Amino acid sequence: MAIARVAEPSGSLQEVREWGLDREDLLQIYRNMLITRGVEERGHILYRQGKIPGSFYTGRGNEASSVGVAMAMGADDVGTPLHRDMGVHITRGVEPWRIFAQYMGRADGPTHGRDGNVHMADSRLGLLAMVSHLPAMLPVAVGCALAFRIREEQRVAVAWYGEGASARGDTHEGMNFAGVRRLPVVFICDNNQWAYSTPTHLEYAVEHLADRANAYGFDGVVVDGTDVLAVYREAKRAIDKARGGGGPTLIECQTLRMEGHAVHDDAFYVPKELFERWAERDPIERFRTWLRSNADLSDDEEEQIGAYVKKLLNDALQKAEESPQPDPATLLDGVYATPEDLDTPHHK
Amino acid sequence: MSEKTYLQAISDGLRTEMRRDNRVFVLGEDVGVYGGAFKVTLGFQEEFGSWRVIDTPLSETAIVAGATGAAMMGLRPVAEMQFADFVSCAWDHLVTVAAKQRWRAGTPVPIVLRLPSGGGFSGGPFHSQNPESSFAHIPGLKCVCPATPEDAKGLMISAIEDPNPVLFFEHKHLYRRIKGEVPDERYTTPIGKARIHAEGDDVTVITWGAMVYTAEEAAKMVDASVEIVDLRTVMPWDKQAVLDSVRKTSKVLVLHEDTRTGGFGGEIAATIAEEAFEDLDAPVKRVTAPDSPVPFSPVLEKAFIPQPDGVAKALKELISY
Ligand SMILES: Cc1ncc(C[n+]2csc(CCOP(=O)(O)OP(=O)(O)O)c2C)c(N)n1
Ligand SMILES: [Mg+2]
């Protein structure tokens, strides 16, 4: 029996206004979702052209969830998005050309060629770069929230993790600490039903992962991760609650990973019907339909937005390709921090 | 004999023991239906069933500690870390429980931990490391690092037979690139015995894993007779073979892919200084990765991982010393 609350689907324009989104915000969400998918689709092409070394991951199917949560964050909030959460980087304002530069290991990527994929973040935008080890950043986000609590700042940390990574002890330790101290942190579980080739029934034995929140002394919510407005609403509620001293919330966003684990994986183990069923709930198409019937999205506007995104990405690709290779002579720079390195907004 | 890739040889060793001994079982992430991230256990679940080839949750602690418990109850677990890098998540159980259990409580822990390690293909800082030195430092753990298909199979079988926790470092860059003749029958390769990869008289290279091939390339670039000692196992390591070679050539280069400070090469160099000082005609040289995390960009990674030309340069310096 489920313990977590199951969130209702998104409502009318009127309702959406009450949550604080005006029409321009809605179009911004739509643009961000398109940019998110566009960046990853183009990344795929770059990979096939042999321009991306190593492996390549996308978050196709997770655009609503990542953009929806990021839209609900405040400017001073922080987050630790993962490999399916490109929409968070886009929404926080990372320029697409830097992402392409990162993919290709160039000097202008956020990690300057030191790390690849979505293993990046711009800390000035309130994001902390993920490590591969999952979900190592979850208890780190709890630590960010601890700092906010100690300094009595009205800020919130958002921690992403996959349903697969929910099995690791880090999840338990982070959530328990956050629960005990009622820290201002929101946990977002990207439940895309697979951890590489492992299906959920071999990952956990409860009905919903959000049910576990109860065991840590806070609320759990299950939300349709393809419904961007429902995700936004739940994230906003949880973030506001955390900001107001109400402690953590665990939001489980249900989606399907619409591609293989990474480019090399054809996902032979995922039943075809499952892909077909979830393709009908494509988050971008769903939101487009909603905008047309609830917010009078016109053909003209759609075309304009499409053209804007296309140009943005074309220009970004070109700029990224012009970015130089990193200089091997810099390899040892910054293994250790200097006092000047502490001159960041976070250490002020 | 048949020709096998390094990867096929590992599978062959594991399959051989699973067919022979039903106490042997495999556990890890995606090892069953998927056959493992690198397909080392491809087809194993069909052959041995889902209780001998166990797809675990994403839980390195549960994998290593679970293997430890099952081993203490008489089974012979072979656990896989999807990448060697993720063993850090299981450090505690490996180092605190498995390594010390025999010594302090008399209960041996015969587990094998498979660790796909090493770089060379832009895996970045978390999919490329060579953490053998960290574990060689822990009394109670054995560390094996095969370089050839033949040794990969033989050391896998020895590791499973061994009554101790054995960390099996399999170098990812060798998986499909290196082929060789492998005996079809069951055999063991002794843990703690080096192999002379190439005989030579002028200078010795002591190395293991993928660097054996880097040394081989470098040897072709210098005008001298280079002896390449493939350590094969880093803990225990074959001190005698190393000292014998040092006494023969009087000049020695220690080469490893791991970073320099605290790397196992330091231990080897110190031992040579202690026990063969009088036999040396030049100071012991080390070629290693520099002290930074492993970079992603191919340009940076090439500057990080020792390359044949860098090794050749060091060899020339030794030769002309
Ligand atoms: C500690 C750890 N072990 C193994 C891996 C290898 N790995 C990378 S992603 C992944 C599956 C993750 O599943 P989930 O948490 O559901 O996230 P998803 O990829 O589905 O978004 C695995 C096993 C890892 N990154 N970290
Ligand atoms: Mg998942």
Side-chain angles (χ1 to χ4, degrees):
Chain A
M1 209 198 58
I3 302 165
R5 175 169 64 82
V6 178
E8 327 86 69
S10 55
S12 63
L13 185 63
Q14 183 50 36
E15 244 179 88
V16 169
R17 288 220 166 96
E18 283 161 26
W19 312 333
L21 295 175
D22 60 24
R23 191 165 184 279
E24 185 38 46
D25 294 329
L26 294 170
L27 295 183
Q28 187 61 40
I29 290 175
Y30 184 55
R31 266 194 297 272
N32 287 344
M33 289 169 75
L34 287 174
I35 296 169
T36 299
R37 179 164 297 175
V39 162
E40 296 190 329
E41 281 177 349
R42 278 158 200 256
H44 232 132
I45 296 168
L46 285 176
Y47 184 85
R48 277 194 304 257
Q49 292 172 333
K51 292 179 179 166
I52 297 183
S55 191
F56 182 67
Y57 300 78
T58 76
R60 196 182 182 88
N62 203 45
E63 295 88 350
S65 175
S66 56
V67 171
V69 174
M71 273 302 280
M73 291 169 68
D76 291 333
D77 295 342
V78 301
T80 56
L82 299 181
H83 52 302
R84 313 293 180 199
D85 303 315
M86 179 57 71
V88 177
H89 298 276
I90 298 297
T91 304
R92 296 296 288 189
V94 179
E95 296 165 283
W97 78 277
R98 293 213 183 263
I99 299 166
F100 292 133
Q102 163 84 5
Y103 282 168
M104 294 189 287
R106 301 297 176 86
D108 293 303
T111 66
H112 317 292
R114 290 177 170 198
D115 206 343
N117 284 303
V118 200
H119 292 183
M120 58 167 198
D122 188 336
S123 67
R124 292 163 305 183
L125 301 173
L127 300 179
L128 300 179
M130 67 174 287
V131 297
S132 290
H133 294 48
L134 298 168
M137 297 310 287
L138 184 150
V140 174
V142 171
C144 298
L146 180 65
F148 302 155
R149 178 66 191 76
I150 290 170
R151 294 195 300 230
E152 296 185 0
E153 293 169 344
Q154 306 291 302
R155 296 167 74 187
V156 176
V158 181
W160 277 264
Y161 69 115
E163 90 295 337
S166 73
R168 280 209 51 240
D170 286 15
T171 312
H172 168 73
E173 297 188 26
M175 289 193 181
N176 188 59
F177 191 21
V180 165
R181 289 285 177 169
R182 290 178 72 77
L183 297 177
V185 55
V186 175
F187 300 105
I188 305 292
C189 179
D190 289 332
N191 189 341
N192 60 10
Q193 308 183 50
W194 297 87
Y196 209 149
S197 74
T198 311
T200 50
H201 73 271
L202 294 179
E203 300 174 42
Y204 57 87
V206 283
E207 185 176 354
H208 295 304
L209 284 171
D211 292 345
R212 289 187 180 162
N214 194 254
Y216 298 113
F218 48 85
D219 290 336
V221 187
V222 181
V223 62
D224 177 350
T226 67
D227 180 346
V228 69
L229 295 177
V231 169
Y232 171 83
R233 180 191 60 223
E234 295 309 325
K236 186 83 171 64
R237 262 186 202 161
I239 290 171
D240 287 350
K241 180 177 173 183
R243 203 185 308 287
T249 305
L250 194 179
I251 301 174
E252 177 180 348
C253 297
Q254 295 181 324
T255 58
L256 179 68
R257 193 190 70 205
M258 293 304 288
E259 288 171 338
H261 173 64
V263 271
H264 64 270
D265 173 19
D266 66 4
F268 69 86
Y269 46 82
V270 179
K272 283 218 170 37
E273 313 79 71
L274 196 60
F275 277 134
E276 284 162 12
R277 207 157 2 107
W278 282 79
E280 288 164 17
R281 294 167 62 177
D282 179 72
I284 297 183
E285 185 51 30
R286 272 190 76 167
F287 189 46
R288 195 182 69 87
T289 310
W290 186 95
L291 284 171
R292 288 192 75 100
S293 39
N294 291 276
D296 302 320
L297 178 70
S298 66
D299 290 346
D300 273 0
E301 273 177 315
E302 257 193 70
E303 207 168 297
Q304 257 174 28
I305 292 174
Y308 165 81
V309 171
K310 194 168 169 194
K311 176 157 173 20
L312 177 76
L313 297 179
N314 284 347
D315 294 351
L317 263 181
Q318 197 183 336
K319 194 163 175 189
E321 299 233 35
E322 286 161 9
S323 173
Q325 296 288 350
D327 178 359
T330 62
L331 182 62
L332 290 177
D333 294 353
V335 173
Y336 297 95
T338 63
E340 298 76 60
D341 292 332
L342 292 174
D343 187 19
T344 77
H346 298 293
H347 293 279
K348 290 263 161 70
Chain B
M1 288 287 228
S2 40
E3 184 173 82
K4 287 196 163 59
T5 63
Y6 180 84
L7 187 147
Q8 288 165 334
I10 297 168
S11 302
D12 189 25
L14 187 50
R15 195 185 296 106
T16 301
E17 288 313 88
M18 288 185 74
R19 284 182 182 161
R20 199 179 67 87
D21 180 352
N22 64 16
R23 297 171 307 170
V24 181
F25 75 102
V26 164
L27 73 168
E29 292 154 22
D30 308 291
V31 296
V33 172
Y34 198 74
F38 297 98
K39 306 285 181 191
V40 170
T41 51
L42 189 65
F44 277 47
Q45 199 172 63
E46 282 90 329
E47 178 170 353
F48 300 107
S50 56
W51 283 103
R52 284 187 73 199
V53 184
I54 299 176
D55 276 318
T56 65
L58 198 169
S59 299
E60 284 73 13
T61 299
I63 294 167
V64 171
T68 299
M72 293 198 291
M73 293 299 107
L75 293 181
R76 292 288 178 276
V78 179
E80 176 179 302
M81 296 285 101
Q82 201 156 78
F83 286 80
D85 311 68
F86 299 130
V87 70
S88 55
C89 301
W91 172 271
D92 199 19
H93 286 83
L94 200 52
V95 169
T96 308
V97 184
K100 299 173 177 56
Q101 202 66 2
R102 162 66 190 86
W103 180 79
R104 59 175 200 107
T107 36
V109 180
I111 62 174
V112 178
L113 191 55
R114 290 189 34 241
L115 299 159
S117 51
F121 42 85
S122 288
F126 309 109
H127 290 80
S128 309
Q129 294 173 92
N130 292 279
E132 65 267 15
S133 303
S134 304
F135 294 101
H137 183 67
I138 307 295
L141 299 179
K142 294 190 176 181
C143 298
V144 310
C145 308
T148 67
E150 184 175 348
D151 288 346
K153 176 175 175 178
L155 281 170
M156 173 54 76
I157 295 174
S158 295
I160 295 171
E161 257 187 4
D162 199 282
N164 294 286
V166 180
L167 280 68
F168 191 91
F169 293 90
E170 41 193 71
H171 201 291
K172 299 189 291 291
H173 210 37
L174 304 181
Y175 271 155
R176 294 182 168 81
R177 206 161 52 97
I178 297 299
K179 292 195 179 82
E181 290 296 320
V182 175
D184 295 319
E185 68 276 10
R186 180 181 190 276
Y187 62 94
T188 57
T189 300
I191 293 178
K193 273 263 168 281
R195 176 184 69 93
I196 305 301
H197 184 75
E199 296 220 30
D201 301 313
D202 300 336
V203 56
T204 295
V205 180
I206 296 159
T207 191
W208 57 90
M211 287 294 113
V212 169
Y213 302 98
T214 305
E216 193 175 70
E217 287 298 303
K220 289 181 202 150
M221 298 160 81
V222 299
D223 190 20
S225 159
V226 181
E227 178 143 298
I228 301 172
V229 179
D230 169 10
L231 221 45
R232 298 203 286 199
T233 78
V234 163
M235 185 52 79
W237 64 287
D238 193 347
K239 202 163 45 166
Q240 198 52 52
V242 168
L243 295 175
D244 287 349
S245 184
V246 171
R247 291 191 173 115
K248 178 168 142 193
T249 64
S250 306
K251 289 180 174 179
V252 53
L253 173 75
V254 186
L255 168 66
H256 60 62
E257 190 180 313
D258 190 12
T259 51
R260 189 176 184 87
T261 303
F264 202 72
E267 177 64 26
I268 296 169
T271 304
I272 294 169
E274 275 177 346
E275 302 193 24
F277 184 74
E278 302 288 331
D279 300 292
L280 289 173
D281 284 340
V284 178
K285 245 191 193 318
R286 278 183 293 166
V287 174
T288 67
D291 289 328
S292 81
V294 189
F296 161 77
S297 125
V299 181
L300 297 182
E301 194 181 30
K302 194 152 179 262
F304 176 88
I305 296 177
Q307 301 293 319
D309 48 357
V311 177
K313 183 168 165 275
L315 283 174
K316 284 175 193 157
E317 285 166 13
L318 271 178
I319 293 158
S320 62
Y321 184 87

